[in-house]
Each structure stands twice: as structure tokens, then as C-alpha cells.
């Protein structure tokens, strides 16, 4: 995998030594986590496809040596396999650009207000380009009002819909869909005894 080869080369350049076991061992541990449960599909994001391909390669190699033992898992991608963060890059905790299920409603609203938009639409009245705008991705994900996406596209391209109003509408629909999940998460965070018991039962079943 070029990604891992590049990382290994970079590590050698930095300190003159070889990589630690974690860099090489992690893909094997990841493969074990998947194949031990006989998973035939793995829900992943677009950026995780190379990681899953390493698992598939390990399975193919193992089966070639020892017989047809493990399933070769396929990727299960949703309609939104790549979700932008509030800065327009891919959403990632390491980039600090994510909307988290632990965020409050106010925090989600604040993040959405600060979200990057179409760089060519500097002011109200400028024609927009919805397919280049991260906010429109959120509209597509969460705005299920019949016909509304087409209206947003037409209004944006005509310069009739400002970015602030578009963000507000996207925020409303996002919170409508994620609100119940966020509330359930808060409930569970206040009942850790139940969470630990579920984990204990799951571990026993997995064993």
C-alpha cells in the first residue's frame, strides 16, 4: 500500500530507524478484528477503503496458504461515503472540524454558522455553486423536504439564497435528524453502569 510505504520512508527520514511494530502490526490486528466475527461487509468511509483493502489482502494471502478459511469482506459505502468537516476538508477529529454527537445544540449551531461555503460566493447576490459547497452536502444529507433541494440549487445558483440562511436551514434539518441520537447518547453517558453491562455481555458473546 503506497500510504504505508510513504509512512515508513518518512519515519526513516526522521530518525534514521525503522518503524515501530504498531505501524506494521496494526493492519494485522484490524484484519483480525474483522475476520474473527466472519464479517462479510464492513461499513466504511471512502478514505478507509485502502485500510480495508489491506484486510482483504491478508485474507487472500492466508487463504492461499492454508485453504479457504476466512471470508474476504467487502466495503459497505453509504450514499455519503465522504462527509466534509466545517472547514471543507474531510471530517476528522484530528482536524478538529467535526460535528460530534456529544456536542450541545448551541455548539452544533455555532459550528454550522462557521462552516466554509462556496469561495466564489462572497456576498448576497453572487451566483453560487452548490456542488462545491460543503453546506449543500449537509442539505442533501438531512433536508428531506420534498422538492426543497432543487429549490435550494436554483436559488443558490441565481444568487437569491444567501449562505447564512442556507446554513440556518441545514442546521435545522441536521438537528431534527441527529437530535434523537444526541439525546440518547446523553442518556447513556449518565447511565454508565448499563453501558458497561452491555459491553460485558457483548464481549462474552464475542468470545
Amino acid at each position: 500500500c503506497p500510504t504505508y510505504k510513504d509512512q515508513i520512508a518518512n519515519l526513516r527520514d526522521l530518525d534514521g530507524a525503522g518503524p515501530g511494530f504498531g505501524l506494521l502490526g496494526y493492519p494485522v490486528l484490524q484484519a483480525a478484528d474483522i475476520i474473527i466475527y466472519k464479517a462479510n461487509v464492513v461499513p466504511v468511509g471512502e478514505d478507509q477503503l485502502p485500510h480495508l483493502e489491506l484486510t482483504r489482502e491478508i485474507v487472500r494471502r492466508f487463504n492461499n496458504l492454508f485453504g479457504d478459511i476466512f471470508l474476504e469482506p467487502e466495503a459497505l459505502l453509504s450514499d455519503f461515503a465522504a462527509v466534509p468537516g466545517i472547514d471543507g476538508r474531510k471530517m476528522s477529529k484530528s482536524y478538529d472540524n467535526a460535528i460530534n454527537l456529544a456536542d450541545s445544540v448551541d455548539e452544533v449551531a455555532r459550528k454550522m454558522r462557521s462552516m466554509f461555503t462556496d469561495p466564489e460566493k462572497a456576498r448576497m447576490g453572487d451566483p453560487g455553486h452548490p456542488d462545491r459547497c460543503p453546506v449543500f452536502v449537509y442539505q442533501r444529507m438531512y433536508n428531506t423536504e420534498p422538492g426543497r433541494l432543487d429549490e435550494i440549487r436554483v436559488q443558490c445558483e441565481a444568487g437569491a439564497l444567501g449562505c447564512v440562511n442556507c446554513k440556518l436551514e441545514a442546521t435545522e434539518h441536521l438537528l431534527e435528524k441527529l437530535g434523537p441520537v444526541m439525546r440518547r447518547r446523553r442518556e447513556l453517558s449518565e447511565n454508565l453502569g448499563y453501558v458497561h453491562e452491555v459491553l460485558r455481555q457483548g464481549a462474552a458473546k464475542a468470545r
Side-chain angles (χ1 to χ4, degrees):
C1 175
T3 301
Y4 282 92
K5 288 179 181 177
D6 291 344
Q7 290 175 355
I8 291 170
N10 290 338
L11 284 173
R12 287 199 175 113
D13 290 342
L14 286 173
D15 57 19
F21 173 76
L23 182 64
L24 301 176
Y26 180 82
V28 180
L29 296 175
Q30 174 187 257
D33 284 341
I34 294 170
I35 65 179
I36 195 172
Y37 302 114
K38 302 178 181 178
N40 62 325
V41 296
V42 183
V44 292
E46 197 172 77
D47 59 318
Q48 296 168 316
L49 289 174
H51 301 284
L52 181 59
E53 187 56 35
L54 278 173
T55 293
R56 289 164 51 81
E57 182 65 28
I58 289 171
V59 169
R60 287 193 293 266
R61 177 64 173 159
F62 191 97
N63 288 348
N64 184 59
L65 291 172
F66 301 106
D68 195 14
I69 296 173
F70 294 120
L71 293 174
E72 185 176 333
E74 300 285 345
L76 180 63
L77 296 171
S78 74
D79 292 335
F80 299 97
V83 177
I86 59 176
D87 59 1
R89 296 182 293 175
K90 74 171 185 176
M91 184 178 287
S92 170
K93 287 188 292 186
S94 61
Y95 291 161
D96 193 27
N97 67 352
I99 294 174
N100 306 300
L101 294 179
D103 289 342
S104 67
V105 170
D106 289 343
E107 181 69 5
V108 172
R110 183 191 67 78
K111 288 181 177 181
M112 290 294 288
R113 284 196 302 272
S114 68
M115 181 175 280
F116 281 31
T117 56
D118 177 3
E120 296 181 37
K121 184 175 172 62
R123 60 186 62 85
M124 184 68 177
D126 290 347
H129 308 84
D131 293 324
R132 303 179 200 170
C133 180
V135 178
F136 190 66
V137 176
Y138 284 73
Q139 293 280 22
R140 289 173 48 228
M141 289 172 64
Y142 296 111
N143 194 337
T144 57
E145 184 180 333
R148 182 54 184 150
L149 285 180
D150 291 336
E151 292 176 0
I152 292 173
R153 179 182 292 279
V154 170
Q155 292 172 357
C156 178
E157 291 175 342
L161 177 63
C163 294
V164 172
N165 288 334
C166 188
K167 289 179 182 180
L168 290 173
E169 184 175 351
T171 302
E172 178 183 342
H173 289 287
L174 182 150
L175 288 172
E176 179 183 348
K177 297 294 190 302
L178 289 187
V181 181
M182 292 173 162
R183 286 193 294 273
R184 181 59 175 156
R185 187 199 180 282
R186 284 195 295 272
E187 291 171 2
L188 291 173
S189 70
E190 296 168 359
N191 190 3
L192 293 181
Y194 170 74
V195 173
H196 292 156
E197 178 59 21
V198 170
L199 292 173
R200 187 193 66 78
Q201 292 179 7
K205 182 178 180 181
R207 282 195 294 270

